[in-house]
Amino acid sequence: MIRASCLYLHTLMITGTLLAIESSCDETSAAVVRDGDVVSLIISSQREHNSWGGVVPELASRAHLTSIAPVIREAMQKANASYGDLTAVAVTTEPGLVGSLLVGLNTAKGIAASLDVPLISVHHIEAHLLSVLLDNEKVEFPYLGLVVSGGHTLLYNVHEIGTYELLGATRDDAAGEAFDKGAKLLGLGYPGGPAIDRLAKEGDAVAHRFPRGVVKGRDLDFSFSGLKTSLRYFLRDHYPDATPTGKTLADICASYQEAIVDTLVSKSLKAIDSAGLKRLAVVGGVAANTRLREKMRQECERLGLDYYTVQPIHGTDNAAMIGIAGWQKLVRGIVSPLTVTAKASMIRAKAKQHDGGNGG
Ligand code: KG4
Ligand code: ZN
């Protein structure tokens, strides 16, 4: 049966070997899933962008081109798999940098076509939301999914696999961007989240009070651009001659981080409350943040909520999450035609994703 951009396989498959590919931004990654378990994961993080303070799309596409073949080869070797073993190929098709997505997608199409195995298109955000399946013994639905990365700050009600309802999103900068831009102002380099996290451990989170972004009339939306601006003015007014160091720097990092974490925690709890949910998942690169993990855990314990998190390697962009999301589609018999395209779009409203993953 063919519907819109999807094909439904007639038989449900529960064993097999799936190759997963991720190339939506600045990580080139491949993973192999065997019978539902991730057996290898390789991630190559591009360093080309470090001196630019952010991801440069053209540099990203070129770097994917050079790393994709070796990354796939290594993932296959590590899994002790040969191409003849593959039963499907899963790949991120959206959202992301279109040039970068195309490198992964065209590679996946080539492998799937030459082996005559199904291609499975995976929505990157759906994969982040389902990444908790990689690290938590038991995941129950529905749950609130907070996606926090360098490109996204999103709140979803994950009703079940395939049904995601967008509850809130950032109006400007993503949480990771707020970390990165703050770190840049403090002379800490890119990406700045891990550096702020590390320095904040020695600092006092109430030493300074930075603003918590409010979006009028949209309680579950985020705004981080004012925070970054307030740090700029704070540094201009208090440290006009030189960037602070030592304990002063640690205090600023801890206070700045606290403003981001506070906002993420309070909006998540509001969303949990308004949607009547009992479980919370925090995913994406910023999910590695020590203070965010600690505060979310405390709040979940206080409120009796189940708390799902991911280990840092599964928080940052990676193909294991594409593999696990792709596997869920494969066992449901949902595959995509070779005509599937790459898109920059988002999962917006309550949308069934059982459509080949290309319907946005
Ligand atoms: O998910 P991710 O790898 O990707 C993209 O959006 O591409 O997330 C990267 C983001 C960066 O902004 C980085 O600064 C942030 O995650 N990040 C952190 C931490 N580790 C990574 N932010 C705060 N604390 C951390 N420990
Ligand atoms: Zn991502």
Side-chain angles (χ1 to χ4, degrees):
M1 187 168 82
I2 299 178
R3 224 177 54 189
S5 64
C6 68
L7 306 173
Y8 283 80
L9 292 181
H10 291 289
T11 48
L12 289 187
M13 181 188 295
I14 48 167
T15 61
T17 305
L18 176 142
L19 170 67
I21 299 171
E22 154 67 33
S23 70
S24 64
C25 192
D26 57 341
E27 262 87 28
T28 318
S29 181
V32 174
V33 179
R34 189 175 289 128
D35 303 341
D37 293 323
V38 175
V39 289
S40 71
L41 169 62
I42 303 297
I43 304 174
S44 165
S45 294
Q46 302 176 357
R47 297 191 191 288
E48 284 78 354
H49 314 286
N50 293 15
S51 57
W52 297 93
V55 178
V56 182
E58 184 55 31
L59 292 181
S61 324
R62 290 186 203 186
H64 286 303
L65 276 174
T66 52
S67 54
I68 194 133
V71 163
I72 291 173
R73 199 175 306 125
E74 210 180 325
M76 293 288 284
Q77 276 167 0
K78 207 169 161 205
N80 214 0
S82 66
Y83 282 101
D85 298 335
L86 295 182
T87 35
V89 183
V91 63
T92 312
T93 48
E94 64 178 308
L97 303 170
V98 172
S100 293
L101 286 165
L102 281 173
V103 177
L105 178 56
N106 286 332
T107 306
K109 282 182 180 178
I111 297 171
S114 64
L115 298 174
D116 196 22
V117 297
L119 177 75
I120 300 171
S121 71
V122 174
H123 197 292
H124 183 85
I125 302 300
E126 178 177 24
H128 270 305
L129 289 169
L130 297 183
S131 63
V132 290
L133 298 174
L134 296 165
D135 290 318
N136 296 273
E137 197 81 337
K138 190 170 158 215
V139 172
E140 289 183 74
F141 297 83
Y143 59 82
L144 183 85
L146 170 68
V147 185
V148 269
S149 69
H152 306 285
T153 303
L154 303 161
L155 281 169
Y156 277 96
N157 183 339
V158 181
H159 290 266
E160 58 180 328
I161 291 176
T163 309
Y164 312 95
E165 181 182 5
L166 182 65
L167 303 177
T170 184
R171 287 301 169 114
D172 37 59
D173 293 345
E177 239 177 318
F179 273 107
D180 294 337
K181 289 179 177 174
K184 196 174 174 188
L185 291 170
L186 292 166
L188 298 174
Y190 173 85
I196 291 187
D197 189 351
R198 200 174 52 249
L199 286 164
K201 288 180 182 145
E202 312 299 321
D204 178 2
V206 294
H208 311 286
R209 171 96 192 163
F210 291 107
R212 277 58 174 160
V214 176
V215 182
K216 278 205 186 102
R218 292 283 309 167
D219 233 15
L220 300 181
D221 280 352
F222 302 85
S223 171
F224 291 110
S225 64
L227 171 64
K228 165 200 66 193
T229 308
S230 91
L231 176 61
R232 175 176 292 125
Y233 290 153
F234 176 87
L235 294 172
R236 183 198 62 188
D237 296 344
H238 295 87
Y239 303 95
D241 303 324
T243 311
T245 54
K247 176 77 167 76
T248 313
L249 175 62
D251 283 349
I252 296 171
C253 285
S255 305
Y256 185 81
Q257 171 178 272
E258 198 66 13
I260 299 174
V261 169
D262 242 11
T263 308
L264 295 174
V265 171
S266 67
K267 302 259 174 184
S268 299
L269 296 183
K270 261 187 203 151
I272 286 262
D273 189 46
S274 65
L277 295 169
K278 303 228 166 316
R279 304 173 193 100
L280 168 71
V282 184
V283 297
V286 180
N289 184 263
T290 316
R291 179 67 183 137
L292 179 63
R293 292 172 92 91
E294 174 191 61
K295 200 159 177 176
M296 281 294 197
R297 183 168 297 286
Q298 284 167 355
E299 289 299 306
C300 286
E301 274 171 18
R302 186 175 67 80
L303 297 165
L305 305 170
D306 287 343
Y307 178 44
Y308 305 137
T309 186
V310 284
Q311 44 169 321
I313 195 173
H314 296 147
T316 199
D317 288 348
N318 71 91
M321 67 182 192
I322 305 304
I324 216 73
W327 184 265
Q328 294 300 327
K329 287 187 155 185
L330 185 63
V331 296
R332 287 165 176 75
I334 303 163
V335 300
S336 306
L338 288 174
T339 51
V340 69
T341 54
K343 288 185 182 171
S345 64
M346 288 294 307
I347 310 178
R348 285 258 160 245
K350 187 169 177 175
K352 284 271 179 198
Q353 283 296 302
H354 289 175
D355 65 350
N358 202 30

